[in-house]
Amino acid sequence: MSLTQFLENPPYEEQPQEKQRIYEQVINSLSDTADNKMKDTCNNLDTDQQDALMRYIYKGLENCDNSLKLLKWHGALSEVAGLGCIMRVMSEKRKRVL
């Protein structure tokens, strides 16, 4: 599956093992993406997909999974999606758990 496909249907309601498997695939996909392709990738996502990506980025940073690459993704996504993406993810009343 591609990154976009994972972001279309985030596994909010899946079992923990399935969530972990998908999380690892998303992090691997992010890690394998060239730095110069990040902004283009973010531009091709809709708002819901951008928010899901931001959730994965924050989870990866929380777990210290390839933090340097994730910080680059955070910068690219923030540039494309704006601060609204960060605010939506950080202020959700019902926390969506990936």
Side-chain angles (χ1 to χ4, degrees):
M1 288 180 76
S2 71
L3 177 61
T4 305
Q5 291 171 316
F6 285 120
L7 299 176
E8 284 176 3
N9 296 308
Y12 299 126
E13 307 298 325
E14 298 292 331
Q15 294 296 317
Q17 300 88 347
E18 182 67 7
K19 285 183 182 183
Q20 183 63 29
R21 183 188 67 76
I22 293 170
Y23 164 77
E24 289 171 2
Q25 290 179 326
V26 169
I27 294 299
N28 287 337
S29 179
L30 295 176
S31 297
D32 292 343
T33 302
D35 292 357
N36 62 348
K37 299 290 184 192
M38 290 177 183
K39 192 172 177 181
D40 289 338
T41 300
C42 294
N43 273 319
N44 291 324
L45 301 175
D46 65 27
T47 301
D48 291 334
Q49 291 169 325
Q50 291 172 344
D51 290 355
L53 176 56
M54 189 63 80
R55 286 184 197 93
Y56 279 114
I57 291 170
Y58 285 142
K59 182 172 181 169
L61 290 170
E62 181 181 307
N63 294 330
C64 297
D65 290 332
N66 201 350
S67 296
L68 178 59
K69 188 70 164 198
L70 291 176
L71 286 172
K72 290 178 183 181
W73 270 104
H74 188 277
L77 182 55
S78 298
E79 187 176 330
V80 170
L83 295 177
C85 181
I86 297 168
M87 296 305 297
R88 284 188 298 277
V89 170
M90 299 303 284
S91 66
E92 288 180 326
K93 291 181 181 176
R94 180 180 152 251
K95 184 165 175 121
R96 295 183 181 185
V97 180
L98 295 171

